[in-house]
Amino acid sequence: MFRYAIAEDAVFVAEIFKSCFQKEGGVCVAYTRDGGEIIDLIKETIPDLLVLDLVLPKKNGLQIAREAKALFPDLTILGCTSLEFDLIPMDDRKYFTEILAKPFGIETIRNFLNTWQRQAEKEGA
C-alpha cells in the first residue's frame, strides 16, 4: 500500500490517476484543484507520492515542487503538464521523479508506478 496526494485542476485527469493507483493498492490521502492548498495538505497527510500538475490556480507546480522538496526531501513527485518541456527550467526538473506530457494514457501511469515501486523495494531492501 502507498499513500498519494494529487494536485490537479482537471478532474478527469485526477480520476484517471485515482483509478489506476487504487488498482495498485494506493490510497488517496489528499486531493485539491488549487495550488495554494497542496502544501498544507502534504504537511497534514505526509504522502509517499505527489501527483502534481505544473499549471494550477494560485500557485504553479514548480513553486509547489520546490517547497515540497524543502519540507520532505524524500517525497516522490510525479509531474504532469501540457507545457512544452523546453518551458520547464532545467533547475526545476530536479524536483520531479518524472514529468508526464499530457495527454498520456493509463499504461504510462502504470509504467511509472511499476518503476517507482520496484525502486522503492530496492532501496528498502
Side-chain angles (χ1 to χ4, degrees):
M1 181 183 85
F2 63 95
R3 299 162 41 89
Y4 66 93
I6 298 177
E8 168 62 69
D9 57 343
V11 175
F12 69 95
V13 173
E15 291 301 320
I16 291 169
F17 278 109
K18 286 179 183 179
S19 175
C20 190
F21 289 171
Q22 183 180 11
K23 290 176 184 172
E24 299 297 327
V27 175
C28 185
V29 295
Y31 168 64
T32 184
R33 298 175 64 194
D34 180 349
E37 297 176 348
I38 193 61
I39 292 297
D40 287 337
L41 291 171
I42 292 169
K43 289 177 184 176
E44 291 171 20
T45 61
I46 310 174
D48 303 305
L49 170 65
L50 171 61
V51 176
L52 181 59
D53 187 1
L54 272 59
V55 181
L56 290 167
K58 297 190 182 167
K59 189 182 286 188
N60 73 54
L62 300 177
Q63 294 168 308
I64 295 164
R66 279 186 229 113
E67 288 181 49
K69 281 295 197 175
L71 292 168
F72 300 100
D74 294 332
L75 177 64
T76 297
I77 303 177
L78 173 60
C80 54
T81 187
S82 55
L83 293 174
E84 293 292 325
F85 273 59
D86 292 347
L87 298 176
I88 304 168
M90 289 299 288
D91 285 350
D92 289 324
R93 294 179 194 185
K94 67 184 175 193
Y95 300 111
F96 298 89
T97 302
E98 191 169 334
I99 301 174
L100 305 181
K102 294 179 183 177
F104 48 81
I106 291 173
E107 196 59 35
T108 301
I109 297 170
R110 284 190 187 126
N111 288 340
F112 165 80
L113 193 55
N114 289 335
T115 300
W116 175 62
Q117 288 177 321
R118 278 194 308 272
Q119 185 65 33
E121 287 172 5
K122 282 183 188 176
E123 291 172 5

